[in-house]
Amino acid sequence: MDLHTVTEVVSPATPGQWRPGDAWLGGGTALFGEPRPEINRLLDLTAAGWPPLTFRDDHVEVAATCTIAELAEGLAAYPLVGQCCHAFLASFKIWNVATVGGNLCAALPAGPMISLSVALDGTCVLVGPDAVERLVPAAAFVTGVGTTVLRDGEFLRAIRLPLATLTARTAYRRGSLFRHGRSAALVIGRIDPGGGVSLTVTASTERPHVTQNLDELRDWVDDVHGSPAWRRHLTRLYAAQIIAELSETA
């Protein structure tokens, strides 16, 4: 979709250039997906030249501009990464344009990069207009449908995924009304160091949840992709399957 109110694209862009009416541009697959009359200038992050993946001693830093294709190839050794990438059900053209950061910032319930980042106990690195970094747990980054903790002028710089969780035993379940439909429920289980199972619930709820008690969840999504009652049933079914699977392997 054309954003007909945009009159300028700044590339490359830096934090101090932000002003009201601006939007940070990554892959653009979400940004150009619907009308945004409040935007009149785009600040291009893809031209910053950030390496897609940076391996540290205790974590992997995934640049916000890392494409889905780059993530799937660079972290192919970790099964959960591939499973979440394939949850897009998108063509190779989308994989080569859509970015990890863009998927998080769109804050859609069915965002699989949100599922991955939260399930692996990731940390989001945010940068404000003053170039000061702020660290936020991935589980707290998305606050609702289309809303995040980003402040005016802030952008998502990277997501840090701990090696300890990347290498942990996980189980994955995803359901949709249609074979190639949007995720209606996506549940990921992970064996914690203490031997317990943590459950990450996304797609069926308005924001991600890490919980061991599904009864406490109240924000079930209600849209054309599934009713709240059905999503709740599917989530509980998947959670039971995951706990049984991980308990057998523990």
Side-chain angles (χ1 to χ4, degrees), residues 115-123 137-139 159-162 165 190 200:
S115 312
L116 178 68
S117 301
V118 174
L120 295 182
D121 199 21
T123 299
I159 304 95
R160 295 173 180 168
L161 302 178
T165 53
R190 192 189 79 227
T200 296

Side-chain angles (χ1 to χ4, degrees), residues 79-81 83-84 115-116 118-121 165-174 186-193 195-202 209-212 214 235 238-247 249:
L80 184 61
V81 174
Q83 289 170 324
C84 288
S115 312
L116 178 68
V118 174
L120 295 182
D121 199 21
T165 53
L166 268 169
T167 55
R169 175 71 177 175
T170 59
Y172 168 98
R173 296 290 190 281
R174 174 192 172 276
L186 200 159
V187 184
I188 298 171
R190 192 189 79 227
I191 296 182
D192 294 327
V197 175
S198 66
L199 295 171
T200 296
V201 176
T202 55
H209 292 275
V210 180
T211 182
Q212 293 180 331
L214 299 183
T235 299
Y238 289 161
Q241 292 175 350
I242 284 172
I243 291 172
E245 177 182 330
L246 293 179
S247 297
T249 60

Side-chain angles (χ1 to χ4, degrees), residues 50-53 65-76 95-96 98-99:
W50 302 329
L53 300 170
T65 51
C66 175
T67 66
I68 306 308
E70 290 170 331
L71 182 73
E73 180 180 1
L75 297 182
W95 271 42
N96 282 282
T99 62

